[in-house]
Amino acid sequence: MKKLIYLDNAATTKTAPEVVEAMLPYFTENYGNPSSVYEFASVSKKAVTDARETIASVLGAKTNEIYFTAGGSEADNWALKATYEAYKSKGNHIITTKIEHHAILHTCEYLEKQRGARVTYLDVDENGVVKLEELEKAITPETILISVMFANNEIGTIQPIKEIGMIAKEHDILFHTDAVQAFGQVPINVEEYHIDMLSSSGHKINGPKGIGFLYIRKGVKSRSFIHGGAQERKRRAGTENVPGIVGYGCAAKRAVETMEKRTAKEIEMRDYLIKRITTEVPYTRLNGDPVKRLPNNINISFQFIEGESLLIMLDMDGICASSGSACTSGSLDPSHVLLAIGLPHEIAHGSLRLTISEETTKEDADYVVERIKKIVEHLRSMSPLYEDFMKKSEK
């Protein structure tokens, strides 16, 4: 088998061995339905309660404020759709940003087209940071919800969440944050940051896929999202994914216990990679805030190449990464995030996202840098744009 270096941890992470071990009994031994009344089922019910308590403690939340979902996208949909329906008599205005995940952007689009919502999409600065003065200017008497992601999934920029939460609180507006990339990577306290709702997903922190949660502050009106049984305090029907919930609880506990040491290692490796790439490969730029960014995120644009070609050739060398360009998903348009921070199309198309983990070694990093250097040089040698640029530079 060829060498494999996995640098796409923002897409998904490897499920930790202790998480798998914690889940296994709930497939074959403790398989009771938590909603059943007999003693055998109480083991499953307790496991769900324990996981809920663990996750709540990580956030500084109350246990009954955590609602399990099938993932981050469902949690985002729930936060926006159900809250809009509950508060639309008060107003129909939602504020978000142009760099949100599509789970937010497409939900806002639905609410605009189908439910009569009015949505303001805020600009960001060249590092992808929300401008607080623009946020305050956008608030109207009809504003019922502000939704700003905690940290961007593409460029890693961490937003001034505490300040945004304070603005929302001062104006008596609900504040939701998509924390799918941030939960378990940076400390989050919902009370300190004045967060009313928060979305997260298990498979981003070495937990299983297919499980997430939505934190809903007590007192926030939110309609039932899935109708049926009385699960999740009658707000989200359906038999609980007990193994997934147990796994998420274990992953959250692991994430908070290892956070300081793990993220320090990631930051060291992140900065090492950024320095080598940006100094050893000409005509590159780092995307996102150089300091206020996720510990494991590297996003770099390479002029005169296509990101898709770079990805394919990296894959041939056993390196798993992703592109800032959406061309790999069938779209000819570059990333909406990179366009929002002001990159022209031709540079946005040549972007690469590397998201490392605590398992990424210096040997891995050096191998990746050397392969990037050779591939970029090769691709540029076939680029008429690069040839023209070099000729003009020589004059």
Side-chain angles (χ1 to χ4, degrees), residues 19 23 26-27 51 68 207-211 241-249:
V19 172
M23 293 170 65
Y26 295 92
F27 287 108
F68 289 113
K209 297 174 181 65
I211 186 68
N241 174 6
V242 179
I245 290 170
V246 168
Y248 201 178

Side-chain angles (χ1 to χ4, degrees), residues 349-389:
H349 265 302
S351 298
L352 176 72
R353 183 186 71 178
L354 305 173
T355 41
I356 61 177
S357 74
E358 71 267 34
E359 294 185 358
T360 306
T361 66
K362 188 171 181 291
E363 181 185 6
D364 293 336
D366 289 333
Y367 174 76
V368 169
V369 172
E370 293 306 317
R371 294 316 305 155
I372 287 175
K373 288 165 65 175
K374 290 184 183 301
I375 293 168
V376 170
E377 183 180 9
H378 174 70
L379 292 174
R380 284 176 176 170
S381 71
M382 300 185 292
S383 168
L385 290 173
Y386 183 65
E387 184 179 358
D388 290 344
F389 174 80

Side-chain angles (χ1 to χ4, degrees), residues 32-264:
N33 187 321
S35 297
S36 298
V37 296
Y38 37 78
E39 186 178 354
F40 177 61
S42 66
V43 178
S44 296
K45 185 174 182 179
K46 184 179 186 305
V48 170
T49 300
D50 289 347
R52 204 187 304 273
E53 288 175 352
T54 297
I55 289 169
S57 68
V58 173
L59 288 173
K62 300 179 179 68
T63 305
N64 62 1
E65 294 175 324
I66 303 299
Y67 297 83
F68 289 113
T69 68
S73 291
E74 182 192 323
D76 283 343
N77 272 258
W78 184 354
L80 268 61
K81 291 177 181 176
T83 303
Y84 178 76
E85 292 299 326
Y87 286 86
K88 64 182 180 181
S89 60
K90 179 182 176 183
N92 70 338
H93 184 226
I94 296 170
I95 299 173
T96 189
T97 80
K98 292 181 179 178
I99 65 167
E100 298 297 307
H101 189 277
H102 283 117
I104 293 292
L105 295 178
H106 288 169
T107 302
C108 285
E109 183 182 348
Y110 160 80
L111 291 172
E112 283 183 291
K113 292 181 177 179
Q114 303 294 329
R115 307 302 298 163
R118 188 169 62 84
V119 183
T120 296
Y121 299 90
L122 296 173
D123 289 318
V124 293
D125 67 16
E126 66 276 7
N127 289 330
V129 181
V130 172
K131 302 168 185 175
L132 296 176
E133 63 276 13
E134 295 298 320
L135 170 61
E136 273 211 273
K137 285 180 186 175
I139 294 172
T140 77
E142 299 293 309
T143 306
I144 57 174
L145 178 65
I146 296 170
S147 181
V148 176
M149 67 194 329
F150 205 109
N152 188 263
N153 54 303
E154 291 192 32
I155 60 174
T157 296
I158 297 172
Q159 299 295 344
I161 293 297
K162 187 174 182 178
E163 291 81 357
I164 295 171
M166 182 64 75
I167 290 170
K169 184 178 181 181
E170 287 173 353
H171 291 270
D172 194 26
I173 297 167
L174 294 177
F175 174 41
H176 165 257
T177 186
D178 175 344
V180 167
Q181 294 293 334
F183 182 73
Q185 281 288 86
V186 295
I188 301 175
N189 184 289
V190 292
E191 289 295 329
E192 181 184 348
Y193 292 172
H194 311 292
I195 296 168
D196 296 302
M197 290 174 285
L198 179 146
S199 307
S200 182
S201 187
H203 70 108
K204 307 296 187 180
I205 59 166
N206 304 104
K209 297 174 181 65
I211 186 68
F213 72 79
L214 177 64
Y215 156 76
I216 306 176
R217 181 186 294 277
K218 186 178 180 181
V220 172
K221 292 188 296 181
S222 183
R223 302 281 176 86
S224 296
F225 191 60
I226 298 177
H227 301 279
Q231 292 89 353
E232 298 304 298
R233 294 176 295 289
K234 298 183 179 180
R235 286 185 171 181
R236 200 261 188 189
T239 302
E240 294 91 340
N241 174 6
V242 179
I245 290 170
V246 168
Y248 201 178
C250 180
K253 184 174 185 290
R254 175 185 181 274
V256 74
E257 288 176 349
T258 64
M259 187 183 294
E260 185 175 355
K261 185 177 179 180
R262 170 173 49 86
T263 57

